[in-house]
Amino acid sequence: QVQLVESGGGLVQAGGSLRLSCAASGRTFSSYAMGWFRRAPGKEREFVAAISSGGDSTYYADSVKGRFTISRDNAENTVYLQMNSLKPEDTAVYYCAAKSGNYNYKVAIGYNSWGHGTQVTVSS
């Protein structure tokens, strides 16, 4: 397993941007597919975006497609989530997660390791 630490959250006005980072420990980061999930107050955790272990494939929830971009730097053991055109409904705690295997990216239960989350608040 890898240990994950998110950063980059904060308070931003609607229409603004934030870039989340997730730093991973361990020497096998490049073997894991990575995902971002979020949980808004009073709601279930939901899939946001994922990227394959090699970085050649990306997947997005319909609600963020065209606004968010996931990327990774395997040399730096880091995955990023660039969030543009933020909306108040994007307010949530954002979690990064790692999984073995490049499949079922949208299913949270398949992820082996989770970070503690970073708060993103978008004001209207």
Side-chain angles (χ1 to χ4, degrees):
Q1 290 188 347
V2 294
Q3 294 184 333
L4 305 173
V5 179
E6 303 95 336
S7 61
L11 173 64
V12 64
Q13 288 188 330
S17 298
L18 283 174
R19 188 195 197 200
L20 305 184
S21 299
C22 175
S25 65
R27 300 168 63 181
T28 59
F29 175 74
S30 61
S31 67
Y32 289 92
M34 300 296 296
W36 286 96
F37 290 77
R38 67 186 181 187
R39 177 172 284 162
K43 295 189 177 181
E44 297 292 318
R45 178 175 53 189
E46 65 173 352
F47 168 78
V48 176
I51 188 167
S52 60
S53 56
D56 53 322
S57 298
T58 56
Y59 306 85
Y60 297 94
D62 288 342
S63 59
V64 308
K65 202 170 293 183
R67 300 188 298 122
F68 291 10
T69 302
I70 188 171
S71 62
R72 66 189 296 161
D73 185 338
N74 284 345
E76 295 294 328
N77 283 11
T78 303
V79 62
Y80 304 97
L81 185 68
Q82 178 67 45
M83 306 186 295
N84 299 329
S85 302
L86 283 161
K87 305 175 181 180
E89 51 263 44
D90 294 318
T91 295
V93 177
Y94 284 71
Y95 301 88
C96 72
K99 75 186 304 292
S100 301
N102 289 307
Y103 55 88
N104 292 343
Y105 296 100
K106 299 182 180 181
V107 181
I109 195 171
Y111 286 78
N112 312 105
S113 301
W114 292 81
H116 291 295
T118 185
Q119 176 70 48
V120 171
T121 303
V122 184
S123 64
S124 57

